[in-house]
Amino acid sequence: DAGITQSPRHKVTETGTPVTLRCHQTENHRYMYWYRQDPGHGLRLIHYSYGVKDTDKGEVSDGYSVSRSKTEDFLLTLESATSSQTSVYFCAIRRQADQPQHFGDGTRLSIL
Amino acid sequence: SQQGEEDPQALSIQEGENATMNCSYKTSINNLQWYRQNSGRGLVHLILIRSNEREKHSGRLRVTLDTSKKSSSLLITASRAADTASYFCATDGGGADGLTFGKGTHLIIQP
C-alpha cells in the first residue's frame, strides 16, 4: 500500500468551529488531492496541489482552504464548519499527472 | 458535475458468474481508470486504459474503451465473494488536476 496517512480518522464537531484535516505521505509524490464523498455524488475534487506551495481549486472548493508547506503534508481546513460539510474526506497522491492515484482510508467528519 | 456515469447502480450476481459494469463520460480524456472501494476504506486502483487503447486485461479484469461512444466497460470474470465492493470509473484529462469520478456501481457477489 502507498504510504498515505489521514488524520484524524473520525471527528465530530459543531457548526462554526474551525477544522483541519491532515494528509501525510511517505512516497515523495508531487501531486496531492482532497476529495469528498457523499451519497449520490461519488467523489468530488475539493483542492489539489502540484508541488510545495502550489495549490489550486477543484469542483467544490467553496468553504475550504488548503496548504502545503512541505512535500509530505497536505492540510485541508474548514475555516467555519457547516452541516453541509459533513462528509467522508479522502486524500490521494500520485507521482505524476496521467498516472493512477493512491488513496488514504478517509476521514469521517460530522458537523452538528 | 460528474463526468462519468456508471451503469448499473447496483448489481447482484452469484459467485462464479461474470460481472459487467459500464461507464459513460462526456468530454475528451487522456485516460480512464477504474477503482474499487470496500466498505469503510479508500479507493484502490484497478486498471488504467489510455485514450489510444481499446482493451486492457489484468488478471480477471477486462476493460474496454470506446472513445467514439465515450464509454468504457469493466468485466470481472469468475467472480468471488471478495469482489463485493463499489466500483468507480474516473476520467483523467492528463493535467495536474484530479480525476472526475462517476457515482459508482455497488457489486454484491452472492456465495
Side-chain angles (χ1 to χ4, degrees), chain A residues 70-88:
Chain A
K70 46 187 178 178
T71 298
E72 56 266 35
D73 288 326
F74 192 31
L75 304 181
L76 176 70
T77 297
L78 292 66
E79 299 290 347
S80 178
T82 68
S83 58
S84 65
Q85 294 176 310
T86 291
S87 186
V88 181

Side-chain angles (χ1 to χ4, degrees), chain A residues 37 42-43, chain B residues 5-11 13 19-23 33-38 43-47 60-61 63 74-77 79-90 101-109:
Chain A
Q37 184 175 32
L43 277 84
Chain B
E5 290 289 339
E6 288 92 342
D7 171 55
Q9 292 186 359
L11 179 61
I13 61 173
T20 299
M21 288 159 269
N22 301 297
C23 170
Q33 304 177 27
W34 285 90
Y35 289 80
R36 183 188 73 231
Q37 184 180 33
N38 291 95
L43 279 73
V44 174
H45 175 255
L46 296 175
I47 198 163
R60 294 183 297 111
L61 306 181
V63 168
L74 170 66
L75 169 67
I76 304 174
T77 60
S79 63
R80 306 167 181 169
D83 294 328
T84 293
S86 291
Y87 292 81
F88 295 88
C89 69
F101 285 86
K103 297 178 184 179
T105 292
H106 185 52
L107 176 64
I108 297 173
I109 309 299

Side-chain angles (χ1 to χ4, degrees), chain A residues 33 35 37 41 59 94 101, chain B residues 1-2 35 37 92 96 99:
Chain A
Y33 304 86
Y35 294 89
Q37 184 175 32
H41 288 278
E59 177 189 356
R94 63 178 170 181
Q101 293 185 7
Chain B
S1 60
Q2 299 301 121
Y35 289 80
Q37 184 180 33
D92 186 350
L99 303 174

Side-chain angles (χ1 to χ4, degrees), chain B residues 6-32:
Chain B
E6 288 92 342
D7 171 55
Q9 292 186 359
L11 179 61
S12 180
I13 61 173
Q14 295 296 122
E15 195 167 20
E17 294 180 339
N18 296 341
T20 299
M21 288 159 269
N22 301 297
C23 170
S24 60
Y25 59 93
K26 297 175 183 175
T27 63
S28 62
I29 61 172
N30 174 282
N31 66 78
L32 186 143

